[in-house]
Amino acid sequence: MKIKTKDLLTLGELDKKEIVELVERGIKLKKDLKNGINRPFLKNKSLAMIFQKPSTRTRVSFETGIFQLGGYALNLSVSDLQLSRGETIQDTARTLSRYVDAIMARVYDHETIEILAQNSDVPVINGLSDTFHPCQTLADIMTIKEKKKKFSNLKIAWIGDGNNVCNSMIYGCSKLQMNISIATPKGHEPDSRVVKQSKKFSSIELTNNPITASKDADIIMTDTFVSIHHKNSKRLKKFFPRFQVNSSLMKNAKENAIFMHCLPAKREQEVTSDVIDGSQSVVWDQAENRLHVQKALLISLIPL
Ligand code: CP
Ligand code: NVA
């Protein structure tokens, strides 16, 4: 299965059918791997990975994933590259695309990944920018499919910061007709263009009340209150403790609701340990599914 877009930068590029097919393929690859079946779909293909910011899951899941597919990854921190001495993003993209079969980058400014994609002949994948995290949402949708067996008639509640993970979640989950309710402090709402575009696919409610958002939810999702790119140490006060996911907030959701978090978590800030370690939490499945769904993505994007 091939997807129409050359690059994956936001998740807004994919239609419902493409998202569902990627997730189904991720589920199949997961099952195969557990049964000892590991086909070299990307034999000798290479993936350049550029990191402007730290990462545990993104780096290890992409590197392991392409290796399992018969290819290999080059891990390039910015200090290893001439980017650190002023070579432009454009020239870096042109050069790398003469050597490798795909580029995955984790960047600060989202425009950086757009410039990389515009100047690269090979697919570019966003491994998190300040405004989007599409690979995380693909893994989250795969996890929802595994746990809930369906997408429609589900209510997903996002509690906390309307950040990069939230923006991609809105793009992906709205196309699957999930009802979305987002509780943030005033001034920390998700990107208004993303919300506007996504409202044509499903209902999206914005509120400042975590209790309203979590009411009868099937999925409670949160993320750190202080992302890597946030410099303001005072921002925590706007979120904590009102937007914390704790056992009392979880009680507003359905009895069989699941708790999701992209990780890394700041325990006792956005989520209490009893919730993240509790029986409703699926956070380790989410982390694992990055590996499987990104393998599906690499197979779909990299020309053979
Ligand atoms: N969820 C996620 O992207 O984790 P890392 O920052 O560890 O890559
Ligand atoms: N919102 C977080 C996600 C980390 C995976 C950040 O940008 O730091």
Side-chain angles (χ1 to χ4, degrees):
M1 165 235 166
K2 287 286 158 208
I3 49 187
K4 289 187 286 296
T5 173
K6 170 182 147 290
D7 311 296
L8 183 71
L9 305 189
T10 67
L11 205 56
E13 307 90 334
L14 301 187
D15 62 26
K16 177 180 176 177
K17 184 165 174 279
E18 290 170 323
I19 296 173
V20 170
E21 283 183 14
L22 279 174
V23 163
E24 295 297 346
R25 182 133 202 203
I27 291 172
K28 169 87 169 61
L29 288 166
K30 181 175 184 175
K31 196 167 147 214
D32 284 352
L33 190 67
K34 296 203 190 277
N35 289 328
I37 304 164
N38 196 14
R39 295 202 182 90
F41 290 106
L42 295 179
K43 193 160 189 294
N44 296 334
K45 299 286 183 189
S46 53
L47 174 71
M49 308 196 299
I50 302 174
F51 285 97
Q52 288 184 340
K53 312 182 201 177
S55 162
T56 298
R57 281 143 287 268
T58 303
R59 177 182 168 180
V60 178
S61 57
F62 268 107
E63 186 160 344
T64 311
I66 188 127
F67 180 74
Q68 288 177 0
L69 293 167
Y72 57 98
L74 297 92
N75 185 44
L76 308 167
S77 79
V78 172
S79 58
D80 294 330
L81 296 168
Q82 293 285 16
L83 265 176
S84 61
R85 295 183 56 251
E87 186 169 23
T88 65
I89 305 282
Q90 288 87 336
D91 291 353
T92 304
R94 290 174 190 126
T95 305
L96 287 179
S97 47
R98 296 291 177 108
Y99 299 131
V100 301
D101 298 292
I103 300 168
M104 186 277 293
R106 168 166 285 197
V107 300
Y108 283 97
D109 195 345
H110 187 72
E111 199 189 354
T112 304
I113 196 104
E114 291 177 337
I115 296 172
L116 260 178
Q118 282 153 14
N119 291 278
S120 160
D121 295 328
V122 299
V124 171
I125 299 169
N126 181 1
L128 182 140
S129 66
D130 290 357
T131 32
F132 292 102
H133 198 3
C135 299
Q136 183 64 51
T137 301
L138 288 175
D140 293 352
I141 291 173
M142 175 171 161
T143 309
I144 292 168
K145 180 70 202 270
E146 288 177 333
K147 304 294 172 191
K148 296 285 173 194
K149 316 284 180 217
K150 63 174 188 175
F151 296 123
S152 55
N153 294 320
L154 289 179
K155 176 179 177 184
I156 177 161
W158 178 275
I159 313 291
D161 189 15
N163 64 11
N164 40 13
V165 178
C166 182
N167 286 332
S168 286
M169 180 280 287
I170 296 170
Y171 266 150
C173 293
S174 65
K175 290 214 176 109
L176 299 173
Q177 279 81 51
M178 289 183 228
N179 298 312
I180 303 171
S181 187
I182 298 164
T184 67
K186 280 201 173 63
H188 295 275
E189 292 81 9
D191 187 305
S192 57
R193 288 158 305 176
V194 174
V195 173
K196 192 168 170 218
Q197 285 171 38
S198 303
K199 273 188 170 168
K200 60 177 183 275
F201 300 112
S202 78
S203 95
I204 302 174
E205 174 186 48
L206 299 186
T207 168
N208 305 122
N209 188 345
I211 296 170
T212 310
S214 55
K215 178 124 184 53
D216 296 328
D218 299 278
I219 298 149
I220 302 275
M221 201 181 267
T222 190
D223 185 14
T224 182
F225 297 146
V226 186
S227 285
I228 307 169
H229 58 282
H230 291 136
K231 305 277 178 272
N232 183 353
S233 56
K234 292 202 188 107
R235 76 181 269 121
L236 194 55
K237 288 197 191 119
K238 291 203 177 173
F239 295 88
F240 184 79
R242 191 162 133 79
F243 291 85
Q244 183 186 68
V245 179
N246 49 36
S247 55
S248 149
L249 194 80
M250 287 299 292
K251 287 200 180 87
N252 291 313
K254 286 192 184 144
E255 214 173 320
N256 65 350
I258 54 173
F259 169 75
M260 301 185 78
H261 190 311
C262 63
L263 306 176
K266 278 272 188 196
R267 286 164 178 258
E268 319 313 334
Q269 283 189 11
E270 73 273 9
V271 60
T272 52
S273 286
D274 62 334
V275 170
I276 197 170
D277 296 331
S279 59
Q280 289 169 284
S281 172
V282 298
V283 300
W284 311 116
D285 299 297
Q286 285 176 263
E288 177 183 341
N289 288 340
R290 293 287 302 274
L291 170 71
H292 308 296
V293 83
Q294 287 165 190
K295 284 167 71 178
L297 178 68
L298 290 167
I299 295 168
S300 298
L301 286 180
I302 297 178
L304 291 179

